[in-house]
Amino acid sequence: AQSVSQHNHHVILSEAASLELGCNYSYGGTVNLFWYVQYPGQHLQLLLKYFSGDPLVKGIKGFEAEFIKSKFSFNLRKPSVQWSDTAEYFCAVNAKGGNKLVFGAGTILRVKS
Amino acid sequence: EAGVTQFPSHSVIEKGQTVTLRCDPISGHDNLYWYRRVMGKEIKFLLHFVKESKQDESGMPNNRFLAERTGGTYSTLKVQPAELEDSGVYFCASSQDLISGGARETQYFGPGTRLLVL
């Protein structure tokens, strides 16, 4: 069965600090990988996704993620966070052509201004 | 283009009562999914419709949950009778199709329905 592990449940950073949120998945086949974000009071939004090709994917708001197949990882990064990045971040995976997304437990990021 | 919408946004009911949640997917999206997040836990898959057919309902917790998608448009998720452990946020998502890959496989989420069973 697929599973997703997010390494940190809570992260607190000061503005302008760099961010890296870890995500590892367990699945034997080919996968699609996603990061979703939920800002306070808002619904889940797609931040970025990886289906194939360049393992370094760029998303909205300056976020990027790198797929490292050998490590089953898809870590999210941002060089300089802003107060507005305060949100909960979810890593998710599904099988190619599959349906259900399997989510990690989520990481709550708080950025201090 | 309108996004995925869900109704109601919040529902507070007593144990033993019935609640029906509604989801309207993005127009033209054949795939509709229900997920649930119980407090403090991860978001978990409940079921998947392709048009009006249930493709996968492996995540449905028990037979107190009934999902329908008549006509292949909006979907309802009924909980009857509700129990305390059913409290959580119920998310709906939709996607275009599973075959093409890429953007058409991406699932877009609604705002969720917060259900509290007392």
Side-chain angles (χ1 to χ4, degrees), chain B residues 12-25:
Chain B
V12 181
I13 61 173
E14 293 187 352
K15 176 182 171 180
Q17 289 186 320
T18 298
V19 63
T20 300
L21 313 180
R22 173 172 170 144
C23 168
D24 286 77

Side-chain angles (χ1 to χ4, degrees), chain A:
Chain A
Q2 297 172 12
S3 66
V4 177
S5 174
Q6 291 184 237
H7 306 161
N8 310 95
H9 292 299
H10 288 89
V11 173
I12 301 174
L13 295 173
S14 297
E15 276 194 307
S18 64
L19 171 71
E20 180 160 3
L21 301 183
C23 173
N24 286 88
Y25 68 93
S26 172
Y27 182 66
T30 308
V31 297
N32 301 318
L33 296 153
F34 306 84
W35 277 97
Y36 284 88
V37 60
Q38 188 169 28
Y39 298 102
Q42 298 187 28
H43 62 277
L44 274 166
Q45 300 173 38
L46 182 68
L47 200 54
L48 48 77
K49 62 196 175 194
Y50 173 80
F51 287 98
S52 64
D54 188 344
L56 183 63
V57 292
K58 303 218 181 267
I60 61 172
K61 304 186 180 184
F63 286 90
E64 65 178 32
E66 185 175 13
F67 171 47
I68 302 179
K69 189 175 181 179
S70 61
K71 295 185 178 180
F72 297 89
S73 70
F74 191 54
N75 292 354
L76 181 70
R77 298 194 294 250
K78 185 171 184 178
S80 175
V81 295
Q82 300 172 310
W83 177 80
S84 58
D85 293 324
T86 294
E88 189 164 15
Y89 293 80
F90 298 91
C91 182
V93 61
N94 68 1
K96 285 280 184 216
N99 52 9
K100 58 186 174 185
L101 287 169
V102 177
F103 283 86
T107 297
I108 297 173
L109 170 65
R110 181 178 155 229
V111 180
K112 299 185 293 184
S113 58

Side-chain angles (χ1 to χ4, degrees), chain B residues 3-41:
Chain B
V4 177
T5 58
Q6 293 187 244
F7 182 82
S9 58
H10 295 77
S11 181
V12 181
I13 61 173
E14 293 187 352
K15 176 182 171 180
Q17 289 186 320
T18 298
V19 63
T20 300
L21 313 180
R22 173 172 170 144
C23 168
D24 286 77
I26 294 171
S27 178
H29 282 196
D30 287 342
N31 296 278
L32 187 150
Y33 310 81
W34 284 98
Y35 293 86
R36 177 175 74 171
R37 189 182 195 194
V38 173
M39 188 183 297
K41 303 286 188 180

